[in-house]
Amino acid sequence: MKIRKVIIPVAGNATRMFPETLGISKTMLPIGKKPAIQYILEECREAGIEEVILVMNYGSQDLIKFLSLNKNKSIVNKYKDNADVNELISLLNCFKFHFLFQQERSGLAGAIALAKNIIQHEDFAVILGDNPILTNYKNGILNIIKRYRKTGFSYIGLKEISDEEVSKYGMVTVKSGLKVIDIQEKPEKYNTNTAIMGRYVFTNNILDVLVKQIENYSDKEINLTEGLKYLITSNSLKGVVLLADIMDVGNEEDYLNTIKKYIELKEGNLC
């Protein structure tokens, strides 16, 4: 069982990072010399992903331009002796990119469902576009894919967080074998500290579930939580504890913490 395709949702307006993100997509925010999306793509390459489906809004032309640089002969030739540019071009050449535009605010569930025709009958991965890993890529989506290959179940990436952070994340309860038995979206309080960390591997059947939910609730955003609850009722959702540091560029405080982490890793020659 091979996971060839990943969906990266980047359609949000990133209002928490205004005015910076009035001009660029939040996944293009720089972390050192590279934008967040480049770290995510490096993680995908490590996992053997072949096709990348970006679900974006119509203001994401900067992202499309960046991900198409390997097709820009002028750029390739002009900077052929630049190691950093060559590294980027080599990375982009690893993937087939699909660009989809989310016209209505149908949430994360809507972003995933939008890719149904490209995913077709395959199982697939999802990585949130504002949650890069800066190093140790093997501890990210690759780790989840390895678990999926052994069982064929859907998996979500998990990590223990502090009580103060609970209201920022989807929270889950797991039992032996990390089988997920309950999930709540950003509760004020919860009975565990186990949070979902922006990485998923799904069996294909979740797509039909999400499409039906969007049809029934077409007037509002649909959290992915509803689709995950379906997997829980069918006893087919498990968790993987992620050892990597999952960063966030979605708000000022977390973005600054991401920059601090980058500096720390850079000083230790780990990034």
Side-chain angles (χ1 to χ4, degrees), residues 54-212:
L54 290 115
V55 182
M56 55 184 64
N57 60 45
Y58 284 103
S60 302
Q61 298 303 316
D62 61 319
L63 179 57
I64 296 175
K65 183 178 179 181
F66 179 77
L67 296 178
S68 303
L69 284 175
N70 59 324
K71 302 184 186 304
N72 187 325
K73 292 182 180 180
S74 175
I75 293 291
V76 172
N77 292 330
K78 183 177 181 179
Y79 298 107
K80 62 183 179 180
D81 296 323
N82 185 297
D84 293 326
V85 174
N86 287 333
E87 178 185 346
L88 171 62
I89 298 303
S90 177
L91 175 66
L92 297 178
N93 284 336
C94 291
F95 306 107
K96 177 180 180 180
F97 289 100
H98 305 269
F99 302 115
L100 301 178
F101 295 95
Q102 192 172 15
Q103 299 183 40
E104 299 178 354
R105 292 178 58 82
S106 52
L108 181 54
I112 295 172
L114 193 62
K116 186 177 188 295
N117 289 339
I118 298 174
I119 295 296
Q120 296 185 336
H121 302 295
E122 297 182 49
D123 298 339
F124 60 97
V126 176
I127 301 177
L128 301 190
D130 52 2
N131 289 150
I133 292 174
L134 305 185
T135 187
N136 294 327
Y137 296 132
K138 291 181 180 179
N139 291 323
I141 196 65
L142 176 59
N143 191 16
I144 303 177
I145 290 173
K146 286 181 176 179
R147 300 294 181 90
Y148 154 83
R149 287 173 182 162
K150 292 180 180 179
T151 67
F153 287 128
S154 291
Y155 279 88
I156 54 178
L158 303 175
K159 197 159 192 174
E160 294 296 308
I161 62 171
S162 67
D163 291 339
E164 292 75 18
E165 296 175 292
V166 166
S167 61
K168 295 168 55 178
Y169 294 93
M171 304 298 297
V172 302
T173 302
V174 297
K175 64 178 186 180
S176 59
L178 289 179
K179 181 179 178 181
V180 180
I181 59 173
D182 184 60
I183 181 169
Q184 288 190 31
E185 179 67 20
K186 298 180 180 179
E188 288 300 317
K189 294 182 180 180
Y190 195 62
N191 61 336
T192 77
N193 290 82
T194 308
I196 303 173
M197 282 291 145
R199 278 155 179 77
Y200 315 79
V201 170
F202 290 127
T203 52
N204 191 269
N205 60 332
I206 196 173
L207 290 173
D208 287 332
V209 175
L210 296 179
V211 168
K212 289 179 181 178

Side-chain angles (χ1 to χ4, degrees), residues 11-22 24 26 57 105 249-252:
N13 291 322
T15 55
R16 291 177 296 172
M17 287 296 288
F18 278 2
E20 177 73 19
T21 50
L22 283 171
I24 65 171
K26 65 179 174 181
N57 60 45
R105 292 178 58 82
V249 298
N251 62 75
E252 183 179 23

